[in-house]
Amino acid sequence: MNWQNILTVYLKELKDSLRDRRTLISMIVVPTLIMPIIMFGVGTVMTKVMQQAQSETVSVMLLGGADSPGVVAALKADKKFRLVPAAADYQQLISDKQVRVAVELPAGFEASLTGGGVQTVSLYYYAGELKSGFGLKAVQDFFTSLKEKTIETRLAERGLSAAVIKPFVIRKQNVAPPEKVGGNAIGGFIPYLIIILCFTGAMYPAMDLTAGEKERGTMETLLCSPVHRINIVVGKFLMVLTASLTTVLLSIVSMGVSAALGVMYFGGKATSQSATSALVGQAAEGGSIPLIDPVGLIGVAALVLPVAVFFAALLLAISLFAKSYKEAQSYISPLIIVVIMPAVIGMLPGVERNAKLALVPILNLSLVCKEMLSGVWHWDY
């Protein structure tokens, strides 16, 4: 191999790629903007949606309750609820999102509160629907409060203290550092995103430097040059590798800056913490937002290199079989599913790193990156 010729081919391909709009978009624009969009765009939208859902009055359909005027009056007096007339098709109305929750009070419910009987209050809601879930929580809080007041009244009538039924208090304390909490919460998503960007960053340059040159008729001219073919192949490979690494490194930098700004932006808003926690899939306990280990990001960047080499070589080889750019797309596009599946498996709870999974390509990267972002380093792997 002649490294001077390789460098000449590499610089020539680099110059041509920087002039290609598709390559610039996939290599620079997308990885730079995707994390700010996810962090601030999606986070802000989720915050507004959740605030609006929580602030809306809960439409509650009351089924029964004719002999429980006190409970009905308390429901009507609560400003969080708006009682709607009872209807036989209440289940359909809830499914159509016209009513959030239906409450069925059994006969003699209010009398049983003082008589000592046990009754069952049925709550009907739309599982998985955000507003219905908030409505269910509000109604549950109402009846939980009613239950506690009833218990206190019964104990007082018997001359007993409320402490009789509350012998001890459970206090939860998180002992894991914020880096481990954040690594477990979003550690699986970050390598998933990096793997996808690493693949897409190499995909368009690989197709353009092979099938694209065939389609433009410049491949024959390049092969006729007094340069050994191995030098041409290595030069093109290095260009595809550069595009893949650039895409990932820009995404990591963007990710780090977005995380730092996101902590300041969302951390100063108490109402935004629930939306931020929902975004990362982990409730922020103690008023803190989960973080990731910054040294782990450096480790992730280092582990990306062998995967980028693998993707660059694979995509370059497959694209060479195509005679046109569109044909290369038809060959490579299905590979995205093959790449996504191991990355998704790495995000699943309970899937932990071991000797067997360490031999599975892509999945091993996803698992070890998730642990490094939590501050855990397994040097033997």
Side-chain angles (χ1 to χ4, degrees):
M1 289 191 298
N2 188 322
W3 284 102
Q4 184 177 358
N5 291 338
I6 292 174
L7 182 61
T8 301
V9 175
Y10 169 73
L11 292 177
K12 175 258 181 189
E13 300 296 356
L14 179 61
K15 185 185 296 184
D16 291 342
S17 296
L18 292 176
R19 293 172 178 172
D20 183 44
R21 184 175 59 184
R22 290 173 301 186
T23 303
L24 289 177
I25 292 175
S26 64
M27 186 171 65
I28 298 176
V29 177
V30 172
T32 304
L33 296 180
I34 190 169
M35 282 310 299
I37 290 174
I38 291 177
M39 178 65 72
F40 297 103
V42 178
T44 302
V45 170
M46 288 187 64
T47 300
K48 292 182 178 179
V49 170
M50 295 182 70
Q51 286 179 343
Q52 182 180 358
Q54 289 177 325
S55 62
E56 289 183 5
T57 304
V58 181
S59 56
V60 178
M61 180 179 291
L62 190 59
L63 307 175
D67 54 357
S68 303
V71 177
V72 175
L75 278 170
K76 290 182 178 180
D78 196 322
K79 295 182 179 180
K80 294 193 298 290
F81 305 126
R82 175 175 58 86
L83 268 61
V84 299
D89 58 342
Y90 63 92
Q91 295 184 359
Q92 186 63 41
L93 292 174
I94 296 175
S95 299
D96 294 339
K97 301 180 182 180
Q98 297 181 22
V99 177
R100 289 197 191 181
V101 183
V103 180
E104 183 178 5
L105 294 179
F109 174 70
E110 190 169 315
S112 68
L113 297 179
T114 56
V118 178
Q119 295 276 24
T120 300
V121 178
S122 300
L123 305 180
Y124 303 94
Y125 68 104
Y126 187 162
E129 204 275 317
L130 181 65
K131 294 183 178 181
S132 183
F134 281 135
L136 175 68
K137 178 65 168 54
V139 174
Q140 282 181 321
D141 291 343
F142 173 84
F143 281 100
T144 299
S145 176
L146 179 62
K147 180 175 66 175
E148 292 175 352
K149 291 178 181 178
T150 302
I151 292 174
E152 291 177 0
T153 302
R154 290 180 179 180
L155 291 174
E157 291 174 352
R158 291 165 175 77
L160 299 175
S161 171
V164 172
I165 61 169
K166 194 176 183 180
F168 58 86
V169 177
I170 298 176
R171 180 174 62 90
K172 296 187 295 182
Q173 181 71 35
N174 175 38
V175 298
E179 291 78 9
K180 287 193 175 183
V181 176
N184 288 326
I186 61 178
F189 173 74
I190 290 177
Y192 168 81
L193 184 64
I194 288 176
I195 289 169
I196 297 301
L197 290 174
C198 186
F199 182 85
T200 56
M203 182 170 65
Y204 293 104
M207 293 188 296
D208 186 67
L209 297 183
T210 52
E213 288 216 32
K214 288 182 182 180
E215 196 171 19
R216 293 189 296 268
T218 57
M219 181 67 79
E220 293 83 355
T221 304
L222 185 62
L223 294 176
C224 290
S225 63
V227 179
H228 198 278
R229 292 189 176 185
I230 186 63
N231 298 325
I232 297 175
V233 172
V234 174
K236 288 179 175 290
F237 165 77
L238 291 177
M239 174 56 224
V240 178
L241 179 61
T242 300
S244 179
L245 290 176
T246 302
T247 302
V248 176
L249 292 178
L250 285 176
S251 67
I252 291 177
V253 172
S254 176
M255 189 184 307
V257 174
S258 299
L261 295 177
V263 169
M264 292 187 294
Y265 177 75
F266 289 109
K269 298 183 177 183
T271 56
S272 299
Q273 288 184 1
S274 58
T276 307
S277 303
L279 179 62
V280 299
Q282 175 90 15
E285 296 186 5
S288 62
I289 298 177
L291 303 175
I292 57 176
D293 187 2
V295 181
L297 280 177
I298 300 176
V300 171
L303 283 180
V304 163
L305 178 59
V307 179
V309 170
F310 173 67
F311 284 157
L314 179 66
L315 294 175
L316 198 65
I318 294 177
S319 299
L320 276 169
F321 287 97
K323 297 179 180 179
S324 64
Y325 195 90
K326 287 186 176 181
E327 185 180 349
Q329 282 184 317
S330 65
Y331 291 161
I332 291 178
S333 295
L335 287 179
I336 297 179
I337 300 177
V338 179
V339 171
I340 287 177
M341 288 305 297
V344 170
I345 293 175
M347 296 172 61
L348 298 177
V351 180
E352 302 292 341
R353 167 211 44 79
N354 54 47
K356 292 182 179 179
L357 296 182
L359 301 176
V360 181
I362 302 176
L363 176 59
N364 50 15
L365 174 71
S366 179
L367 293 177
V368 74
C369 287
K370 181 167 64 174
E371 293 191 342
M372 285 194 303
L373 293 171
S374 302
V376 180
W377 297 72
H378 291 280
W379 296 106
D380 51 336
Y381 281 92

